């Protein structure tokens, strides 16, 4: 996978996520992915990014997001946004 011209391997993902706490905020996702606030919330609400909503609070596990990035590396490389619940085999 490539982000900004860099090849991405599991070690890079570890380094990328290392500075963040175990529980991420939507603002952390904005920073990590360089997305707008609206896009982050849309991805959370539609289930694109793995997270849990308890009333108005989003519970976002850093390791689940990191695993999601790795599992979807081919679709992300092609610039495609994976659909919620999309099987990797269908991508």
């Amino acid at each position: 996978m490539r982000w900004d011209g860099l090849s991405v391997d599991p070690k890079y993902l570890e380094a990328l996520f290392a500075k963040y706490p175990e529980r991420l905020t939507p603002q952390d996702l904005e920073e990590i992915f360089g997305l707008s606030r609206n896009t982050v919330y849309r991805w959370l609400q539609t289930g694109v990014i793995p997270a849990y909503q308890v009333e108005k609070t989003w519970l976002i596990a850093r390791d689940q997001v990191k695993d999601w990035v790795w599992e979807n590396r081919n679709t992300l490389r092609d610039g495609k946004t994976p659909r919620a619940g999309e099987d990797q085999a269908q991508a």
Side-chain angles (χ1 to χ4, degrees):
M1 179 168 72
R2 300 180 76 75
W3 278 343
D4 298 324
L6 300 172
S7 268
V8 178
D9 63 21
K11 292 178 186 175
Y12 176 78
L13 287 179
E14 290 293 332
L16 176 67
F17 285 91
K19 70 178 185 175
Y20 294 97
E22 287 185 30
R23 183 174 155 203
L24 299 174
T25 65
Q27 293 76 22
D28 291 332
L29 295 176
E30 291 174 33
E31 184 178 314
I32 291 167
F33 297 119
L35 298 172
S36 71
R37 180 175 189 242
N38 288 340
T39 299
V40 167
Y41 279 101
R42 185 174 66 245
W43 282 17
L44 289 169
Q45 292 165 348
T46 59
V48 172
I49 294 176
Y52 307 93
Q53 187 174 20
V54 178
E55 296 188 12
K56 293 184 177 184
T57 302
W58 283 100
L59 304 175
I60 308 163
R62 177 194 63 209
D63 292 340
Q64 285 183 339
V65 174
K66 181 176 62 179
D67 292 344
W68 171 80
V69 169
W70 183 251
E71 290 167 3
N72 290 286
R73 63 191 178 275
N74 290 333
T75 55
L76 292 175
R77 181 185 320 141
D78 294 336
K80 299 176 185 173
T81 302
R83 294 185 185 136
E86 182 178 16
D87 188 344
Q88 186 67 23
Q90 294 174 341

